[in-house]
Amino acid sequence: MIAASAASIVPTPAYAEQLDLQTIEHDRVVRAADAYLREAPRTITSIPAPRSPGGVHDYYSEADYWWPDPAHPGGPYVRRDGFSNPEKFDGHRDALIAFGVRMPALASAWRLTGDSRYARAAAEHLNAWFVAPETRMSPDLAHAQAIIGRDTGRAIGIIDTLQIVEVARGAKLLSDLRAPGFDARFRTDVAAWFRSYLGWLTTSAAGIEERGQKNNHGTCWLLQCAAFADLLADEDALVGFRTRFRTVIVPNQIAAGGRQPLELSRTKPYSYLLFNLDVLATACQILSPGSRKLWTAAGPGGGSVADAIGFMAPFIRNKGRWPHPADVEHFDALPVRQPSLLFGGLALDRPDWVSLWRTLPADPTDPEIVRNFPIRQPVLWTNGSDVHVR
């Protein structure tokens, strides 16, 4: 079963008590959740994927940066880093993203209002994706980010389920607080899916390969594993992920002064630095509750997550100061309300970062930005007033 404890709500410093997130978030969240109440769950089983080698329950996606080869029509695709192919199959990923937007918003709305309609609607989405035999998704990603003519699925496709990190967070909160629709059997069934998927992430060849990636893919693997282990209250796993974060992720990815060299080398450096920083910060939020240890941990001669936020904050405040090449796509759509500023600001007593966070757009509409902005509901992640159920 999903563990019933309040430990998933991260204690925050005294400064956080002055931040009324419930008021800040209430209207935005409830407005969105009211719209989602009118939308039935839709899973991958209702979306045909003609090029998938899997079955109706198997998730399938195609690689973003791979295109038909003009020199060899009909042959294997070729890579164009940073340029997303609009003709790739996105049906399953779009459905997963929509799930990752809607279910956490419904969970947040219940936390803010206590209205049982939101909790029951969130449970319906979880049931459709993880429990109901007719509509559930298989707990693996064997056919994600395929490349036409080359691969029917790749380890780096595991990044696609970053979209359900906040789903897991919402499910844990609703379960911990015994929300309407979350009886013991349902909690057990949802936990069973995440336990199976966490097992696949940590033991399959694809999962092990993705774990070893040194850039944002390795960070995203670890964040997913940490979020799912947290949902399951698997303390032994969390200890291992905490150690890996401190001894492998941070030293490999953050250089002195907070630079992220592997992300700076991409054709969309601004986007990749923001994205990886948000993933790093969310991992800290899960793995370092009530402590600054992971936020300030640094490898030999390197920087910390705190340093990385400090490096990017001036360029979030004023993108015109960005000294590196502009992203080849979507540069004008950034920044948005990066959760790294909020989580880091609360953990490290940096009101200036939180104030900056408050000035940024909370609900981007560019699909590419939405895809790379999977942590959208801060009330699921921070202390807040008690829910008054009605």
Side-chain angles (χ1 to χ4, degrees):
M1 289 176 58
I2 301 172
S5 77
S8 64
I9 304 301
V10 177
T12 47
Y15 162 65
E17 302 302 322
Q18 305 168 22
L19 185 70
D20 188 357
L21 270 178
Q22 287 67 42
T23 299
I24 292 169
E25 289 292 278
H26 182 279
D27 291 352
R28 179 186 80 89
V29 170
V30 170
R31 182 169 55 249
D34 283 344
Y36 300 149
L37 285 174
R38 299 189 291 270
E39 299 179 4
R42 182 172 182 246
T43 77
I44 62 172
T45 59
S46 66
I47 305 168
R51 290 193 287 265
S52 172
V56 68
H57 296 277
D58 295 319
Y59 179 89
Y60 176 75
S61 64
E62 292 174 356
D64 290 286
Y65 302 148
W66 291 79
W67 297 68
D69 184 353
H72 300 93
Y77 278 24
V78 294
R79 192 167 190 262
R80 296 175 59 195
D81 186 40
F83 295 92
S84 295
N85 180 356
E87 302 301 321
K88 66 186 181 301
F89 176 80
D90 272 339
H92 289 180
R93 187 164 67 179
D94 288 347
L96 194 70
I97 291 170
F99 175 41
V101 169
R102 293 168 186 167
M103 183 273 167
L106 290 163
S108 294
W110 180 77
R111 181 164 174 78
L112 290 169
T113 69
D115 189 329
S116 64
R117 295 178 303 156
Y118 301 124
R120 294 187 187 282
E124 289 176 6
H125 284 273
L126 291 171
N127 183 67
W129 277 89
F130 302 138
V131 180
E134 301 83 6
T135 60
R136 72 192 295 268
M137 185 174 94
S138 298
D140 68 73
L141 251 61
H143 303 302
Q145 297 232 7
I147 302 173
I148 306 303
R150 295 181 183 272
D151 293 290
T152 59
R154 298 180 299 153
I156 67 169
I158 287 170
I159 201 170
D160 285 7
T161 43
L162 193 66
Q163 301 299 329
I164 60 172
V165 162
E166 202 160 65
V167 167
R169 189 69 174 193
K172 183 169 179 65
L173 180 136
L174 291 165
S175 178
D176 286 355
L177 298 179
R178 295 295 192 265
F182 284 75
D183 61 24
R185 180 176 179 179
F186 181 68
R187 294 195 304 270
T188 298
D189 289 344
V190 172
W193 190 95
F194 278 100
R195 186 171 292 107
S196 293
Y197 188 47
L198 180 60
W200 184 83
L201 286 173
T202 53
T203 64
S204 69
I208 292 169
E209 180 181 337
E210 188 70 346
R211 181 187 66 191
Q213 298 300 311
K214 293 183 178 181
N215 65 357
N216 66 84
H217 280 270
T219 321
C220 290
W221 178 91
L222 185 134
L223 174 58
Q224 291 185 63
C225 290
F228 307 153
D230 185 50
L231 169 68
L232 299 166
D234 187 337
E235 294 300 327
D236 289 340
L238 288 168
V239 168
F241 298 141
R242 193 174 293 118
T243 299
R244 184 173 184 83
F245 186 87
R246 186 183 67 253
T247 62
V248 177
I249 297 292
V250 169
N252 280 345
Q253 298 197 29
I254 307 176
R259 295 172 69 255
Q260 300 176 57
L262 295 174
E263 310 308 326
L264 274 171
S265 68
R266 302 298 296 270
T267 60
K268 296 193 288 190
Y270 188 78
S271 172
Y272 273 104
L273 260 72
L274 290 176
F275 171 70
N276 196 46
L277 184 55
D278 286 344
V279 176
L280 288 162
T282 307
C284 281
Q285 191 77 350
I286 294 171
L287 295 171
S288 190
S291 170
R292 298 185 178 193
K293 288 183 179 179
L294 285 191
W295 292 95
T296 57
S304 65
V305 176
D307 293 330
I309 301 172
F311 176 85
M312 281 302 292
F315 309 126
I316 297 173
R317 183 173 288 109
N318 181 359
K319 191 167 59 177
R321 296 177 58 188
W322 179 243
H324 304 283
D327 295 3
V328 296
E329 289 184 331
H330 306 283
F331 187 60
D332 292 341
L334 290 168
V336 292
R337 203 173 68 169
Q338 314 297 153
S340 53
L341 292 170
L342 175 66
F343 297 161
L346 294 178
L348 300 166
D349 288 314
R350 290 294 302 262
D352 55 325
W353 291 350
V354 179
S355 296
L356 176 58
W357 171 84
R358 293 189 63 179
T359 69
L360 298 168
D363 296 297
T365 57
D366 183 322
E368 180 71 6
I369 303 304
V370 173
R371 180 170 72 88
N372 292 309
F373 180 55
I375 307 301
R376 312 170 180 99
Q377 300 296 336
V379 298
L380 298 179
W381 298 90
T382 58
N383 280 331
S385 58
D386 292 336
V387 173
H388 300 288
V389 178
R390 57 182 170 86

